[in-house]
Amino acid sequence: MAHGPSRRFTRLGAFTHRRAWIVVGFWVLLAAVLNLSIPQLETTVSKTSADFLPRSLPSNQHLEQMARDFGSPESNAVSSIVMVDENGFSERDEQYYGRLVDRLLHSDDVAYLLDFAGHPITREAAASPDGKAITLFVAAEGSVGSTRAHHAAQGIRQVIDDAEPPSTLQVDYTGPTAALADLFSAIDVSLLIITGVSIVLITLILFTVYRRFATAAIPLITLGVGLAVTRPIISFLGGHDLLSVSNFTIAIMTALVLGAVTDYAIFTLSAYHEGRRSGLPVGDAVATASGRTGPILVASALTIAVACTSMIFTKIGMFSTAGPPTAIAVIVGLLIALTLPPALLSLAGRRGLAEPGAASERRWQRRGTRIVRRAGVYAAASLVFLVSCSAILFTHQRNWDESSMFVYANDSTRGYDEVYKHFGNNAIAPEYLIVRSDHDLRNTSDLAALELAADAVARLDEVASVRSITRPDGKPLTESAAGYVPGQVGSQLGDAAKQLGDARPDLRRLASGVQQLTDGADSANARMPELVDGTDQVISMATGVLDSLDSAERFVAAATDSRTDLRGAASELRAGLDGVGPILADLRRTAVAVQPALDQFDQLFGPLLRSRSSASCSTDPSCAAARAAFDRLNAATGGRARSTLTALRSAAGVPAEASTRAGRSVFALKDLLGRLQRLLGQLDGRTPDQVRSDLVRLRSGVGELSSGMAQLADGLHQVNEGTARLTSLTDKLHAGLRTATDYLTDMSAATSAGPGRGFYLPAEALTNPRFVEGAKLLISPNGRTARMVVTWSINPYGPEALERSRDIAPTAAAALAGTGLSNAEVTSTGLASLSADMDDQLTRDMLVFGLVAILAVTIVLAVLLRSIVAPLILVATVVLSFAAVLGVSTLVWQHVIGIPLDWSVAPISFMALIAVGADYSMLFASRIREESAGRGMMQGMIRGFGSTGGVITTAGVVFALTMFALMSGTTLNLVQIGFTVGLGLLLDIVIVRSVLVPATMVILGDRMWWPSLGRVS
């Protein structure tokens, strides 16, 4: 490609001059047709926006696989609904929650829910400590960042409103997906503002530079037509799935097209003015301007296009949807810039419009002269400044917190604020630890292994809590602690020991009673021979009685000629005895009546009748005289007097004694007859022989009793010995139980919590309500996949969480080593994991498209400049410029403002600066080489400064203002991108292109153009 006007593009300029109206009419008509026949780009993006997350991200795949394991639709669009009532949850709030859950379950926009708060057992896991807020996990349909997910977010918010929340209840849909949906909505609003601000700023700078309406109108018309043509083309390609588009397509493409097309028009306008100043007619000036700028515009557009196209190798949706569409739009803008500005200049020039103003070449030549004279100083100073700014990058942090990117509060940011206020941490951005096995995990050993993993992760300093099947509400099941069972056993043993202690007096009384019983048994056993002898005697007597009965029976039979039996005779005899009673009574009365006379007789004759005189009679003279007289009478009668009186006394007393004896005999006889009757009654009709048989059995039984008593005595001796031993052992058992109780109690205290907690879940605990309810949410229906919800104690968007998220799965896997789940698949996913994987992917994408872009731009520059050294120098300065401005931006945003740069800033800024910055250096270097031919580098530098300084500065400022216009948006990522790229363009214009590049070229001299060292025409 020749340095100087290109014949090919000169002919193109001449053609546009001759067919100016046709060219202008073509582009205007094309713009009108395209905009009338094709939907606006915003409409297409709202319907076909591509996924934001690459499906190949490991954490994304884990999230979708988790949904499949639990029988839910595959979705990575996870967020939460936060409900807050500052007065505490009321019955109306609970009713609303029930309505909301029911409607969400029937909504086409919801993939699945995790309803912890709806179950009393697991409610604590979703309720704030102050009881004023609860969360509801919602997975929306679609992939995060996609059109489907964006529409699902709008649908979920509509469901929230339709469920009619109470006036005291604040309900916010928040979380990663909700924040991204709000971010895209904010970008949609921002794009209109940004476009309007860009046009206003470009208009102001153009009127400031050119100070003529006609002149300023040419770039403005060009950029207007450029947008009007490129936007429908990209919309058509995106709407027919020929390109992937998103909100970032609109933002990045619009900014770059505005800047590039405006710059191209300014380049052409500057070359036209140069021609007019040299005295060329309008037609020749237009043709010359096209010939001079055409190659530069092509090279510039190609550098931008290849830099943007290199993003086709990326996987992050933001880049893949922004790069290729922007490349196509820039190429279309190039076609417009090659034809429309020359045509407009031709029409304006014919009417004496768009004429050049005062030249500024001398001012720029003086600057070039100063740099030439002190090239080494300027080069060193600029390098020191750029390297110093670049060094700040060592502190650079990528910001993955999309919730911090909003200029104004919205639904998702309010939700985040409420979560931090009431929960103390970001409870709605958890990690999910997934353990996948080839068998059912619902058994004690595997649950113990899962608890080991949960406990290990919970011990990480950055983790606030872990909810798992073994701790469904974030706290370990009480029954699962290894110390729980010992504690229960220890408690029961303690109760048993107390009961034993209380029972020891009773046991001693038992032992005493057994001793007494033993003594009694010994005594009874010793008396048993007497019992046997007595029984024998009784049986002998009974046999005699029976024999007497037999005799009596025979006697009665003989006496009555068998007319009656013994029973009847006894009855008759007793009846007869009843008749004797009155007779005996009369005799007794007679005897009683005679008794006084008998008493007087005894008193009178008693002393006389005794054979010897009594002492009392001897001392009584009368009695002694009578006694002497009676003795003489008795002697005189030969003893008959005493015997006669004695006989008379005996005869007189017989009736009374006889009646008394007869009465006693009758009574005894009646008693005997009664006993005889009772005996006969007891026989109950049995014969004496039958009774004798019973007596035989009685003797045998008493013998057996004697033998049994002997055995009982022996047994009681053994019981007594055993009771004594039991008492002794009980004392020892009581002491042992106290020791065991103390040991198990201490063990329970040491193993129920803390490092020694351990795990043991008895079979009955599997039916624990907390376990059952938790299992529905935390273990898959087939039992082979368990998930744990890990809540961070730190900002889940921060770099510390991203770094620590890589340790969650390895920590859990290490805890499972040596268990039945040592071969289980352990993965993690969630906001931090997704961000960490995105961070890794971003590094890979930047490395890929950065190298591709640098290589492509270098090749384009090498072809244009026909050099190897120059392209390398120019690309190196642009890369250094990018590093420097990113360092300055890091200083401003991260260290001064306190908001780290969004992760998208660096790659988008690199793409813009590597392309646009190379353009300006390329235009500058190309013109210097042209001016240096035949004059030397020094003269070429000064002349090149004079001819390009004003135009490049104007173009750079216009492009910078276009990028600064992004700062009028309502999202900080666009603000940061606009700030960084705009500042980078100014830095490139003021330092790189105006100082570093010319100073380096002066130092290198003609070596800059190696291997082509001369001018080629």
Side-chain angles (χ1 to χ4, degrees):
M1 184 178 293
H3 295 281
S6 167
R7 295 190 183 94
R8 185 178 296 105
F9 286 102
T10 299
R11 290 194 295 269
L12 177 61
F15 172 79
T16 57
H17 172 69
R18 295 192 303 270
R19 303 289 188 271
W21 282 109
I22 295 176
V23 172
V24 172
F26 170 79
W27 288 116
V28 172
L29 180 62
L30 179 62
V33 171
L34 290 176
N35 281 275
L36 291 174
S37 60
I38 298 174
Q40 290 297 307
L41 183 56
E42 288 79 7
T43 303
T44 300
V45 168
S46 68
K47 295 179 179 179
T48 61
S49 182
D51 293 351
F52 177 73
L53 290 177
R55 302 188 70 87
S56 60
L57 290 182
S59 54
N60 188 35
Q61 294 177 347
H62 298 330
L63 190 62
E64 293 180 349
Q65 181 61 47
M66 181 183 74
R68 288 194 296 270
D69 289 342
F70 281 79
S72 302
E74 297 179 14
S75 173
N76 57 21
V78 295
S79 275
S80 295
I81 296 175
V82 180
M83 285 157 273
V84 179
D85 191 329
E86 294 296 343
N87 299 320
F89 260 70
S90 64
E91 182 62 29
R92 293 181 60 197
D93 297 336
E94 296 293 349
Q95 293 173 356
Y96 170 78
Y97 183 86
R99 292 195 305 272
L100 178 62
V101 170
D102 182 67
R103 296 193 182 196
L104 289 172
L105 289 173
H106 293 86
S107 173
D108 294 335
D109 294 316
V110 176
Y112 61 91
L113 303 175
L114 291 183
D115 181 14
F116 285 95
H119 303 281
I121 301 298
T122 57
R123 184 181 179 87
E124 186 178 353
S128 63
D130 60 10
K132 296 180 180 180
I134 61 174
T135 61
L136 174 63
F137 179 93
V138 181
E141 288 287 351
S143 178
V144 60
S146 67
T147 298
R148 181 67 186 95
H150 185 69
H151 291 168
Q154 295 173 339
I156 291 171
R157 286 188 167 126
Q158 187 61 50
V159 171
I160 291 173
D161 294 337
D162 291 344
E164 300 178 354
S167 58
T168 59
L169 187 67
Q170 177 182 335
V171 185
D172 298 302
Y173 179 53
T174 185
T177 300
L180 202 58
D182 288 341
L183 184 67
F184 287 169
S185 296
I187 291 175
D188 289 340
V189 175
S190 299
L191 290 176
L192 296 176
I193 300 174
I194 291 169
T195 302
V197 170
S198 298
I199 293 174
V200 170
L201 290 176
I202 291 173
T203 301
L204 290 176
I205 190 65
L206 290 176
F207 274 102
T208 300
V209 172
Y210 296 115
R211 300 178 183 178
R212 290 181 175 86
F213 176 80
T215 306
I218 292 174
L220 291 175
I221 293 173
T222 303
L223 73 87
V225 172
L227 288 178
V229 173
T230 56
R231 283 168 51 86
I233 291 175
I234 300 304
S235 178
F236 175 83
L237 296 174
H240 289 80
D241 295 328
L242 299 175
L243 275 179
S244 295
V245 294
S246 69
N247 297 75
F248 294 100
T249 302
I250 305 173
I252 304 304
M253 184 201 74
T254 299
L256 286 179
V257 167
L258 279 173
V261 171
T262 303
D263 278 2
Y264 296 161
I266 291 173
F267 290 165
T268 302
L269 184 58
S270 176
Y272 172 76
H273 285 168
E274 187 177 349
R276 291 292 289 162
R277 289 192 189 97
S278 64
L280 294 176
V282 171
D284 293 342
V286 168
T288 300
S290 295
R292 186 178 293 277
T293 61
I296 302 298
L297 299 187
V298 171
S300 174
L302 287 177
T303 58
I304 296 176
V306 296
C308 294
T309 303
S310 64
M311 285 190 168
I312 200 172
F313 299 105
T314 64
K315 294 184 178 181
I316 297 178
M318 178 180 181
F319 306 147
S320 61
T321 60
T326 300
I328 294 174
V330 168
I331 295 300
V332 174
L334 171 65
L335 297 177
I336 296 172
L338 289 173
T339 56
L340 184 59
L344 293 174
L345 284 171
S346 177
L347 295 176
R350 294 171 189 177
R351 292 165 176 77
L353 302 175
E355 290 300 309
S360 60
E361 291 184 6
R362 291 187 180 277
R363 184 173 68 252
W364 288 102
Q365 285 177 355
R366 287 195 295 270
R367 179 176 297 180
T369 301
R370 288 196 297 271
I371 292 175
V372 167
R373 291 174 179 173
R374 298 179 179 84
V377 175
Y378 279 106
S382 59
L383 282 174
V384 169
F385 174 78
L386 293 175
V387 171
S388 298
C389 292
S390 300
I392 303 175
L393 284 180
F394 288 106
T395 66
H396 175 72
Q397 294 179 357
R398 294 171 181 167
N399 186 358
W400 290 93
D401 188 356
E402 302 298 345
S403 66
S404 67
M405 290 294 105
F406 297 97
V407 176
Y408 305 106
N410 53 47
D411 194 23
S412 60
T413 60
R414 285 192 296 269
Y416 275 125
D417 292 340
E418 292 298 332
V419 168
Y420 278 110
K421 175 181 177 182
H422 293 282
F423 287 86
N425 53 51
N426 198 331
I428 59 173
E431 286 293 296
Y432 296 94
L433 176 64
I434 305 165
V435 179
R436 190 173 291 108
S437 180
D438 58 357
H439 60 272
D440 197 324
L441 301 173
R442 291 167 293 191
N443 59 79
T444 297
S445 60
D446 286 343
L447 291 174
L450 291 175
E451 173 59 17
L452 286 175
D455 184 67
V457 174
R459 293 181 188 280
L460 294 175
D461 293 337
E462 297 78 8
V463 172
S465 67
V466 177
R467 297 196 296 271
S468 72
I469 188 63
T470 60
R471 43 177 75 189
D473 56 2
K475 301 175 182 177
L477 290 171
T478 304
E479 298 83 357
S480 71
Y484 174 79
V485 173
Q488 294 295 306
V489 174
S491 176
Q492 295 175 9
L493 287 178
D495 292 342
K498 183 177 182 302
Q499 293 174 9
L500 278 176
D502 295 341
R504 290 170 71 189
D506 296 335
L507 189 60
R508 291 192 178 94
R509 286 194 296 272
L510 171 63
S512 177
V514 170
Q515 181 63 50
Q516 294 175 5
L517 180 60
T518 301
D519 294 342
D522 287 341
S523 177
N525 188 46
R527 300 294 298 274
M528 280 307 298
E530 298 178 10
L531 176 62
V532 174
D533 292 342
T535 302
D536 289 341
Q537 294 175 8
V538 169
I539 291 175
S540 297
M541 293 174 62
T543 302
V545 171
L546 291 175
D547 292 342
S548 299
L549 286 175
D550 285 340
S551 299
E553 189 72 36
R554 289 193 296 273
F555 172 78
V556 171
T560 61
D561 293 331
S562 300
R563 291 191 301 271
T564 183
D565 56 9
L566 182 60
R567 186 186 299 273
S571 298
E572 291 176 1
L573 181 58
R574 186 167 186 177
L577 290 174
D578 290 338
V580 175
I583 297 172
L584 293 175
D586 292 341
L587 289 175
R588 190 177 297 111
R589 284 192 297 270
T590 302
V592 170
V594 177
Q595 188 63 39
L598 292 175
D599 291 338
Q600 292 178 0
F601 180 88
D602 288 339
Q603 183 178 4
L604 179 63
F605 292 101
L608 303 179
L609 296 176
R610 295 186 179 91
S611 60
R612 291 180 182 180
S613 175
S614 64
S616 59
C617 184
S618 298
T619 59
D620 185 0
S622 297
C623 181
R627 168 80 183 182
F630 185 78
D631 287 339
R632 287 190 297 272
L633 176 63
N634 184 53
T637 61
R640 286 191 298 276
R642 181 175 282 134
S643 60
T644 301
L645 288 174
T646 300
L648 288 173
R649 178 66 184 84
S650 300
V654 169
E657 295 178 357
S659 64
T660 300
R661 289 195 297 270
R664 287 198 296 269
S665 299
V666 169
F667 179 80
L669 183 58
K670 287 179 68 176
D671 182 66
L672 177 61
L673 290 174
R675 293 182 180 180
L676 178 61
Q677 285 178 324
R678 287 194 296 274
L679 177 61
L680 292 173
Q682 291 174 354
L683 291 177
D684 194 23
R686 291 179 294 172
T687 66
D689 290 338
Q690 291 175 329
V691 175
R692 289 188 185 93
S693 177
D694 293 338
L695 291 173
V696 172
R697 287 195 297 273
L698 174 61
R699 178 180 282 114
S700 176
V702 171
E704 294 176 357
L705 175 61
S706 177
S707 176
M709 184 58 71
Q711 295 177 0
L712 175 62
D714 292 339
L716 286 175
H717 277 289
Q718 296 177 9
V719 170
N720 186 39
E721 294 174 359
T723 304
R725 288 196 299 271
L726 175 62
T727 303
S728 176
L729 291 174
T730 300
D731 292 338
K732 295 180 180 179
L733 177 61
H734 180 260
L737 286 176
R738 290 299 343 150
T739 302
T741 299
D742 294 340
Y743 174 79
L744 291 175
T745 301
D746 293 342
M747 176 184 176
S748 176
T751 58
S752 293
R757 181 180 185 276
F759 182 93
Y760 173 73
L761 195 66
E764 58 269 18
L766 297 177
T767 60
N768 182 291
R770 293 171 64 203
F771 182 91
V772 173
E773 293 298 333
K776 296 178 182 177
L777 301 172
L778 299 170
I779 198 164
S780 63
N782 64 7
R784 296 185 176 184
T785 301
R787 65 180 164 197
M788 304 180 192
V789 184
V790 181
T791 302
W792 294 104
S793 61
I794 57 177
N795 180 8
Y797 293 98
E800 189 177 3
L802 268 63
E803 183 63 29
R804 183 57 71 183
S805 68
R806 307 175 195 275
D807 297 333
I808 289 180
T811 298
L816 294 176
T819 71
L821 298 179
S822 57
N823 294 323
E825 179 186 356
V826 182
T827 58
S828 65
T829 185
L831 177 62
S833 293
L834 286 168
S835 298
D837 286 348
M838 281 284 284
D839 194 68
D840 293 340
Q841 187 62 51
L842 176 63
T843 301
R844 290 191 293 268
D845 284 354
M846 284 192 66
L847 185 62
V848 170
F849 88 76
L851 291 176
V852 172
I854 290 174
L855 180 62
V857 170
T858 302
I859 292 174
V860 171
L861 292 176
V863 172
L864 176 66
L865 299 175
R866 289 180 291 176
S867 170
I868 295 177
V869 175
L872 295 176
I873 294 296
L874 295 179
V875 171
T877 58
V878 172
V879 172
L880 181 59
S881 173
F882 162 74
V885 75
L886 193 62
V888 173
S889 192
T890 298
L891 175 65
V892 172
W893 286 97
Q894 180 175 318
H895 298 291
V896 177
I897 298 177
I899 303 176
L901 292 176
D902 187 68
W903 58 272
S904 62
V905 173
I908 295 298
S909 300
F910 178 81
M911 180 194 70
L913 293 175
I914 193 69
V916 180
D919 285 350
Y920 299 152
S921 295
M922 175 182 60
L923 176 60
F924 180 69
S926 177
R927 189 58 179 266
I928 289 176
R929 180 169 187 180
E930 180 182 344
E931 297 291 348
S932 298
R935 298 186 180 93
M937 179 63 75
M938 299 298 182
Q939 289 297 319
M941 178 68 65
I942 295 172
R943 292 177 63 85
F945 245 105
S947 60
T948 62
V951 62
I952 291 179
T953 300
T954 300
V957 170
V958 168
F959 214 136
L961 289 177
T962 302
M963 300 310 298
F964 281 134
L966 291 173
M967 298 180 66
S968 62
T970 59
T971 62
L972 287 182
N973 52 355
L974 291 180
V975 173
Q976 290 175 341
I977 290 173
F979 175 83
T980 304
V981 177
L983 182 64
L985 291 173
L986 294 180
L987 186 67
D988 185 82
I989 293 169
V990 174
I991 296 179
V992 177
R993 199 274 308 167
S994 300
V995 178
L996 180 59
V997 170
T1000 302
M1001 293 178 70
V1002 170
I1003 293 172
L1004 292 177
D1006 289 338
R1007 291 187 297 271
M1008 183 79 173
W1009 315 116
W1010 185 88
S1012 176
L1013 301 179
R1015 180 182 179 186
V1016 181
S1017 58

